[in-house]
């Protein structure tokens, strides 16, 4: 009977040995989860700009914004990063009916990267557009190649001004430098060509509100 307390000691030690690793396993699990989360953050940080820097991806985004217009969009080069400015070059709009190309843009450059855009709550900053050329060509029926840029719903409504206007979810400034407009038709052999035009536009969710233009 004197030996019974000693016989209970190994069992208690074994129970303690089994119970002790639980906190260690929790810490290991937390470290593993933290490592996976960090890897996902790094992958997203590298992958998002890489995916958006594809000319086909940007062309697809522009295409979707036209909402069913009968025009194919192409882009030559794209540079997008978290910190550096966004640059898109060689934007072309080609009507599917074979009519002349109505719009081409040599270069669009923003003044901020993806990180600044995300932290600005919808303010995309300022974009500078250079090399914008608009070629308006009338046919014998007085139809122009610009109709290829219009969505089918806009063409069906005939541009009804009473339609409800949608507010933009973002705000941005667009500075167009040295744009050129050409107008041609069956009534003349030579197209009318404008002088270089500078245009400043503002897109914002609440029209009419004061906005700091940074000028």
């Amino acid at each position: 009977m004197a030996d019974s307390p000693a016989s209970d000691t190994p069992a208690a030690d074994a129970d303690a040995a089994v119970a002790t690793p639980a906190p260690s396993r929790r810490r290991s699990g937390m470290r593993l989860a933290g490592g996976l989360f960090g890897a996902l953050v790094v992958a997203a940080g590298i992958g998002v700009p890489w995916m958006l820097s594809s000319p086909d991806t940007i062309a697809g985004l522009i295409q979707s914004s036209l909402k069913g217009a009968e025009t194919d969009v192409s882009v030559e080069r794209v540079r997008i990063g978290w910190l550096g400015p966004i640059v898109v070059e060689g934007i072309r709009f080609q009507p599917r009916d074979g009519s002349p190309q109505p719009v081409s843009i040599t270069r669009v450059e923003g003044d901020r990267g993806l990180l600044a855009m995300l932290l600005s709550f919808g303010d995309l900053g300022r974009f500078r557009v250079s090399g914008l050329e608009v070629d308006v060509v009338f046919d014998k029926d007085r139809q122009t190649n610009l109709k290829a840029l219009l969505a089918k719903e806009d063409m069906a409504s005939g541009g009804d001004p009473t339609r409800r206007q949608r507010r933009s979810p973002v705000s941005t400034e667009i500075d167009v430098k040295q744009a050129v407009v050409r107008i041609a038709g069956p009534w003349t052999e030579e197209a009318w060509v404008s002088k270089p035009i500078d245009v400043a536009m503002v897109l914002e969710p609440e029209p009419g509100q004061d906005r700091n233009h940074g000028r």
Side-chain angles (χ1 to χ4, degrees), residues 28 68 73 95 97 105 123 132-133 162 177 191 193 198 208 210 212:
S28 298
V73 181
D97 60 4
I105 302 173
D123 186 353
L132 170 61
E133 297 185 2
T162 62
K177 299 297 183 182
V193 182
D198 292 344
D210 292 335
N212 182 13

Side-chain angles (χ1 to χ4, degrees), residues 89-109:
E89 296 178 318
I91 306 173
R92 302 288 184 268
F93 300 84
Q94 185 59 56
R96 295 171 187 165
D97 60 4
S99 57
Q101 175 178 271
V103 177
S104 63
I105 302 173
T106 300
R107 181 183 176 93
V108 177
E109 181 174 352

Side-chain angles (χ1 to χ4, degrees), residues 154-197:
D154 292 333
M155 295 180 65
S157 67
D160 184 359
T162 62
R163 292 183 59 196
R164 181 178 179 181
Q165 299 296 319
R166 297 177 181 176
R167 291 180 176 176
S168 170
V170 299
S171 61
T172 185
E173 296 180 36
I174 301 175
D175 289 336
V176 181
K177 299 297 183 182
Q178 303 292 294
V180 175
V181 179
R182 301 182 185 89
I183 301 178
W187 60 82
T188 180
E189 294 182 357
E190 295 184 2
W192 175 84
V193 182
S194 73
K195 294 181 179 180
I197 302 170

